[in-house]
Amino acid sequence: MITEIVKIDFSKPLDAQVQKCAETIVRGGLVAFPTETVYGLGGNALDADAAKKIYAAKGRPSDNPLIIHIEKPSDAEEYCLTNDSYYKIANAFMPGPITVILPKKEIIPFSVTGGLSTVAVRCPEHPVARALIRAAGVPIAAPSANTSGRPSPTSASHVIEDLSSKIDAIIDGGDSEIGLESTIVMPRDGGVTVLRPGGITVEMLSEIFDDVTLDEGIVKKNESASAPLAPGMKYRHYAPRATVFLIKDVGNADFDGRVKRFLKGKLDREPLTGVICFDEYRDEIIGKNVFYFGKKADDDEHAKRLFDILRRFDKTDAPEIYATASDLRGVGLAIYNRMLKASGFNILEI
Ligand code: AMP
Ligand code: MG
């Protein structure tokens, strides 16, 4: 199949530019599109066969459910059983990088939800995503537009790398603003459980709910035999080919000094060692496979750059990768969670 690339011109009206892609989706085809979190691989969420095509294109296990994207919060009424918590979240954070799990209505096929009786709903903020959903007139089922297991795509070129010739079209709307997938929450009596951390932080959720609980799998390896609440999180994710070690700050004095000495030692012995570190290390930590992902305190920048850097490592000859972890507050928790998955929970305490 020839994949058409549709480059968006933001100085012109969007509706006409996405019209053909919207028709492709309605017909049962697949279109990758930009959102503020990462690029999504979209298909008609009311079409069981479109969902199957999404799983096939990504090589994704079919028990890993998709998120359905709607234009405005009240559109959810048609597809799931909403509740007060949903509207509380919607009023505070939608459109935006948050996904809510709700009981599904019959109209949503089980192939979209990986066989679950619940469905994940999100209302994206990105103007191109919104124009596409509006023009299609159907909810758009979309997981991240990457090959299963690889880092989520934060630019059209990442999608081209993974899915060219496997899908009908890719809409190029530039780099993703946030760079990490949406926060996923499940409402429950008196509060919410966070299943996946993201751009809407625990701190932000705590402003509207008294009780915000974190799913255990966010910072710990899920070793129990029971089904995890967010099925996708059980799979190996974001992993470059080389082994990744995550360097965690456990409160020892002079953390940066210790880390720099450790990294220098590694680079002296093996100059091809892969490193992801803060901009502040730039003068001392130098090497062919060293990437700087923003100032230490700049979580938003780390979020934006992380997946692109992880992908770049696959084009290097780094035998091992050492990454400095972010602070766990705010968006830092989401970054730490993705780095844990990329490292397969390989933590170094220095
Ligand atoms: P992706 O955005 O590509 O990571 O895929 C969507 C993710 O949303 C899945 O991997 C799940 O972790 C989560 N998800 C989707 N639907 C549900 C659901 N009904 N219940 C719990 N988690 C879900
Ligand atoms: Mg994904």
Side-chain angles (χ1 to χ4, degrees), residues 58 60 64-67 99 101 113 116 118-120 142-144 146 152 181-182 184 186 195-196 229-233 237-238:
K58 279 181 63 90
R60 179 177 178 119
N64 186 356
L66 313 177
I67 293 172
T99 298
I101 309 293
T113 67
L116 297 173
T118 51
V119 63
S144 49
N146 54 296
S152 295
E181 307 88 341
S182 60
I184 302 181
M186 191 179 263
L195 305 183
R196 176 171 78 186
L229 285 175
M233 301 310 275
H237 262 91
Y238 320 121

Side-chain angles (χ1 to χ4, degrees), residues 44-110:
N44 181 351
L46 306 181
D47 177 349
D49 290 335
K52 287 180 193 148
K53 284 193 210 165
I54 291 176
Y55 289 105
K58 279 181 63 90
R60 179 177 178 119
S62 62
D63 63 346
N64 186 356
L66 313 177
I67 293 172
I68 71 164
H69 294 71
I70 56 178
E71 197 201 343
K72 48 186 193 306
S74 59
D75 292 348
E77 297 296 340
E78 258 190 81
Y79 314 116
C80 44
L81 302 173
T82 60
N83 51 37
D84 290 349
S85 298
Y86 170 73
Y87 280 105
K88 215 164 150 177
I89 295 165
N91 289 332
F93 306 121
M94 290 185 190
I98 189 153
T99 298
V100 185
I101 309 293
L102 293 166
K104 83 173 192 70
K105 287 191 174 169
E106 210 179 314
I107 187 169
I108 299 294
F110 279 106

Side-chain angles (χ1 to χ4, degrees), residues 36-38 152 154 176-181 303-307:
E36 70 277 20
T37 58
V38 300
S152 295
T154 54
S176 299
E177 184 66 33
I178 297 177
L180 295 178
E181 307 88 341
K304 222 179 253 187
R305 308 238 302 256
L306 179 65
F307 287 157

Side-chain angles (χ1 to χ4, degrees), residues 23-338:
E23 284 162 18
T24 301
I25 284 182
V26 174
R27 267 197 288 108
L30 302 188
V31 176
F33 62 98
T35 84
E36 70 277 20
T37 58
V38 300
Y39 272 71
L41 174 56
N44 181 351
L46 306 181
D47 177 349
D49 290 335
K52 287 180 193 148
K53 284 193 210 165
I54 291 176
Y55 289 105
K58 279 181 63 90
R60 179 177 178 119
S62 62
D63 63 346
N64 186 356
L66 313 177
I67 293 172
I68 71 164
H69 294 71
I70 56 178
E71 197 201 343
K72 48 186 193 306
S74 59
D75 292 348
E77 297 296 340
E78 258 190 81
Y79 314 116
C80 44
L81 302 173
T82 60
N83 51 37
D84 290 349
S85 298
Y86 170 73
Y87 280 105
K88 215 164 150 177
I89 295 165
N91 289 332
F93 306 121
M94 290 185 190
I98 189 153
T99 298
V100 185
I101 309 293
L102 293 166
K104 83 173 192 70
K105 287 191 174 169
E106 210 179 314
I107 187 169
I108 299 294
F110 279 106
S111 59
V112 167
T113 67
L116 297 173
S117 57
T118 51
V119 63
V121 187
R122 175 160 122 76
C123 189
E125 189 172 23
H126 196 290
V128 173
R130 299 178 67 75
L132 184 68
I133 301 166
R134 197 165 46 238
V138 293
I140 297 183
S144 49
N146 54 296
T147 299
S148 191
R150 295 206 77 201
S152 295
T154 54
S155 71
S157 64
H158 295 162
V159 184
I160 293 169
E161 215 169 70
D162 284 10
L163 297 177
S164 189
S165 83
K166 294 185 179 159
I167 61 177
D168 296 281
I170 297 169
I171 304 179
D172 181 351
D175 291 349
S176 299
E177 184 66 33
I178 297 177
L180 295 178
E181 307 88 341
S182 60
T183 304
I184 302 181
V185 295
M186 191 179 263
R188 55 176 167 70
D189 270 350
V192 288
T193 302
V194 178
L195 305 183
R196 176 171 78 186
I200 301 298
T201 64
V202 173
E203 291 82 349
M204 290 159 83
L205 287 163
S206 300
E207 283 181 17
I208 59 164
F209 290 106
D210 290 334
D211 183 4
V212 179
T213 308
L214 291 189
D215 184 60
E216 281 211 334
I218 290 174
V219 289
K220 275 210 262 161
K221 200 167 186 163
N222 191 323
E223 272 154 348
S224 76
S226 65
L229 285 175
M233 301 310 275
K234 78 183 174 199
Y235 294 105
R236 193 177 139 92
H237 262 91
Y238 320 121
R241 275 193 306 272
T243 309
V244 181
F245 295 89
L246 180 55
I247 303 174
K248 187 179 177 186
D249 184 351
V250 286
N252 287 328
D254 188 26
F255 173 72
D256 290 311
R258 284 165 188 269
V259 175
K260 282 192 264 184
R261 282 191 294 279
F262 172 82
L263 293 175
K264 268 195 222 156
K266 284 279 170 198
L267 285 160
D268 281 347
R269 285 190 296 280
E270 174 48 273
L272 296 180
T273 299
V275 173
I276 305 178
C277 64
F278 306 123
D279 284 1
E280 287 88 339
Y281 294 14
R282 216 178 255 278
D283 292 341
E284 293 170 73
I285 306 303
I286 297 161
K288 179 169 173 248
N289 297 327
V290 175
F291 292 89
Y292 311 96
F293 78 151
K295 288 225 157 44
K296 189 170 182 183
D298 195 350
D299 285 344
D300 292 340
E301 190 64 21
H302 304 164
K304 222 179 253 187
R305 308 238 302 256
L306 179 65
F307 287 157
D308 182 59
I309 292 175
L310 289 176
R311 277 178 179 262
R312 281 170 196 262
F313 273 118
D314 279 347
K315 294 180 185 130
T316 72
D317 43 7
E320 284 182 338
I321 299 163
Y322 293 85
T324 44
S326 303
D327 186 316
L328 298 200
R329 281 169 298 187
V331 181
L333 179 66
I335 300 160
Y336 182 73
N337 166 260
R338 305 311 191 272

